[in-house]
Amino acid sequence: MSLFDAPLFKDAYEQLTQAADVMGLDRNILERLKYPKRALQVAVPIRLDDGSVRTFQGYRVQHNMTLGPGKGGIRFHPGVDLSETAALAMLMTFKCALVGLPLGGAKGGIEVDPNELSRQELQSLTRRYATEINMIIGPTIDVPAPDIGTDGQTMAWFMDTYSQIKGYTVPGVVTGKPITIGGSLGRAESTGKGVAYCVNFACQKLGMTIDKNTTIAIHGFGKVGVPAAQDLSAQGARIVAISDVSGAVYNKDGLDIEKCYEWTRQGKYLKDMEGVELISNAQLLELDVDVLIPAAIDGVVTKENAGNVKAKIVAEGANGPLTREAIDIITKRGGFIIPDILCNAGGVIVSYFEWVQGLQNFFWDLDQINGKLHDILKDSFDNVFDTATKYNTDMKKAAFIAALARLERAMRLRGLFPA
């Protein structure tokens, strides 16, 4: 597969070059940022429960590590490939730079449907993958985290495998671990909480208030969508629609978010809930609401349906849920977009906190973590908003410009090796 095949990579590449043109980025810096620093593709063979052996394709891509060790999730999903992984690594580079973290951009994954494997098979898959990529990861090299299809248990297996290879416990090799083995308070809900913070910041800029008259639709009711819904609902907003793979549920008077969470936590599909109206995921994206939060996967709002998106604020909770054409369409009709590298940066910010705590063996309380998360996102949001004003451009390009400005300074200072 070519590096440029995935739509997400094409979009990320195009957004990079467009932002570079607007800000007048040094062409030599742009040339270096177009391509990942390192890409590793590995075979991951495991013995299944029936005794047969099956081999999966795994990847780890490190895009740019000028600012520090690589940082980025591990995704277990049937759609994982080299091009998508490279795109996500590139976005992580810009995300870390934008919010001021001393980290670079990386991403990894395995082409697999985790729902088709048993717990033992998943453990074997994780441990073999960790073994295959162990030479390019580590607490001072590249620090993975959970993503789609992975969780704290996955990270625990990964950490244990790496620690067995090294001969001693290395808690800083991954983040998103369970609290018991060095995880951080607030990590599990951090991405969704960050989305909620960013929605608040956007409302403040636009003169809106979050109350019972504020309507919100959330595409994807998982690791990002659930905590975002819980936080915004607690502030009084009406979450009128949420969705999962089975479809979407709608209630114009607002859904009982805790009831929905308890339902899905038991492994049940939203479509089977009683007392709600069933709509499609496509219909959810086009609801007439104040805030739309696409928090599932990339590429759900495209040039085909962007013209039907009515939300005043679109908060990119997922990575790349809006294509480049969709961003242009929504921005031109007056929609306010909170770009993904800002909106969903809460996860990597608290991952950074976990990494620091692991290196220090000193842990912070939840108020400290949430306070620091809020402050970093607020400063970053203001920076992007001011950049958009300065360059008379949309928030998406402004986020890339703000990130590129920091990367450009750092890359100039470090220079090019060999000289």
Side-chain angles (χ1 to χ4, degrees):
M1 149 167 286
S2 166
L3 188 65
F4 297 91
D5 283 350
L8 184 61
F9 190 92
K10 291 176 182 176
D11 264 11
Y13 186 91
E14 188 67 26
Q15 287 163 17
L16 165 63
T17 54
Q18 284 185 356
D21 288 342
V22 172
M23 70 182 292
L25 181 71
D26 184 321
R27 294 293 104 178
N28 294 324
I29 299 293
L30 175 62
E31 179 65 19
R32 292 174 62 186
L33 289 172
K34 285 180 178 179
Y35 309 99
K37 171 185 175 68
R38 182 181 294 117
L40 178 63
Q41 180 173 348
V42 296
V44 189
I46 63 167
R47 191 175 301 280
L48 301 179
D49 293 343
D50 64 6
S52 65
V53 173
R54 184 176 173 190
T55 302
F56 300 88
Q57 291 300 302
Y59 309 90
R60 187 69 184 176
V61 177
Q62 296 162 347
H63 175 255
N64 183 281
M65 292 146 95
T66 300
L67 297 173
K71 192 80 191 76
I74 292 172
R75 178 174 292 194
F76 288 1
H77 189 272
V80 168
D81 58 40
L82 178 60
S83 184
E84 180 196 66
T85 306
L88 292 167
M90 180 187 288
L91 291 173
M92 283 301 300
T93 294
F94 303 136
K95 186 182 298 183
C96 291
L98 176 63
V99 297
L101 302 183
L103 298 167
K107 206 75 177 184
I110 300 176
E111 183 184 353
V112 60
D113 184 348
N115 297 312
E116 295 180 353
L117 301 184
S118 69
R119 176 185 169 88
Q120 181 55 48
E121 289 168 341
L122 281 172
Q123 180 173 181
S124 298
L125 186 74
T126 303
R127 289 184 180 278
R128 183 58 186 255
Y129 173 69
T131 303
E132 294 295 342
I133 69 168
N134 87 89
M135 71 291 294
I136 64 166
I137 54 106
T140 59
I141 304 170
D142 182 3
V143 185
D147 198 270
I148 294 172
T150 57
D151 56 18
Q153 178 60 76
T154 315
M155 294 303 104
W157 290 330
F158 196 107
M159 185 202 86
D160 182 70
T161 305
Y162 184 84
S163 298
Q164 296 294 339
I165 292 170
K166 294 298 180 182
Y168 53 89
T169 301
V170 189
V173 68
V174 292
T175 58
K177 304 180 297 295
I179 301 294
T180 308
I181 55 170
S184 175
L185 295 171
R187 173 60 186 89
E189 64 271 22
S190 57
T191 307
K193 184 172 284 291
V195 170
Y197 282 151
C198 285
V199 169
N200 275 268
F201 303 151
C203 287
Q204 291 166 13
K205 294 292 187 184
L206 299 176
M208 298 167 58
T209 57
I210 294 182
D211 54 30
K212 64 181 181 181
N213 295 316
T214 307
T215 54
I216 299 175
I218 302 177
H219 179 261
F221 196 63
K223 295 176 187 175
V224 180
V226 168
Q230 290 172 328
D231 270 29
L232 293 165
S233 179
Q235 293 176 49
R238 272 190 293 145
I239 314 297
V240 298
I242 57 175
S243 71
D244 62 12
V245 293
S246 70
V249 293
Y250 172 79
N251 186 325
K252 64 180 177 61
D253 297 320
L255 297 163
D256 184 333
I257 293 302
E258 289 309 314
K259 180 181 177 182
C260 294
Y261 172 59
E262 285 303 317
W263 182 268
T264 57
R265 198 163 66 90
Q266 297 171 36
K268 299 177 181 178
Y269 290 121
L270 288 173
K271 70 178 179 62
D272 297 322
M273 285 189 69
E274 296 180 354
V276 292
E277 179 183 344
L278 298 181
I279 60 174
S280 68
N281 274 290
Q283 288 174 306
L284 180 148
L285 296 169
E286 298 175 6
L287 289 173
D288 189 1
V289 291
D290 295 307
V291 181
L292 171 65
I293 303 175
I297 57 174
D298 58 90
V300 296
V301 182
T302 66
K303 62 182 179 182
E304 280 76 29
N305 63 348
N308 298 324
V309 173
K310 304 174 186 67
K312 299 180 183 71
I313 297 172
V314 180
E316 290 191 302
N319 289 312
L322 275 63
T323 65
R324 178 176 51 81
E325 295 91 348
I327 290 164
D328 290 341
I329 291 168
I330 292 172
T331 301
K332 285 176 182 175
R333 65 98 173 143
F336 186 93
I337 296 172
I338 309 174
D340 51 1
I341 63 171
L342 170 64
C343 191
N344 65 29
V348 73
I349 292 170
V350 179
S351 278
Y352 164 65
F353 296 163
E354 180 180 334
W355 177 63
V356 169
Q357 291 171 85
L359 293 176
Q360 295 178 329
N361 287 308
F362 179 78
F363 293 88
W364 310 340
D365 63 41
L366 188 57
D367 287 341
Q368 285 178 292
I369 289 165
N370 287 338
K372 292 175 186 293
L373 172 62
H374 176 277
D375 292 347
I376 289 174
L377 281 175
K378 182 66 167 65
D379 288 345
S380 301
F381 189 99
D382 288 344
N383 183 24
V384 174
F385 190 86
D386 292 345
T387 301
T389 302
K390 175 182 176 181
Y391 287 94
N392 190 29
T393 191
D394 61 77
M395 287 284 286
K396 188 80 171 190
K397 287 192 188 72
F400 272 75
I401 290 169
L404 286 169
R406 183 170 185 240
L407 279 167
E408 181 179 30
R409 290 193 297 270
M411 292 172 75
R412 281 178 176 277
L413 287 167
R414 290 191 58 168
L416 178 63
F417 177 84

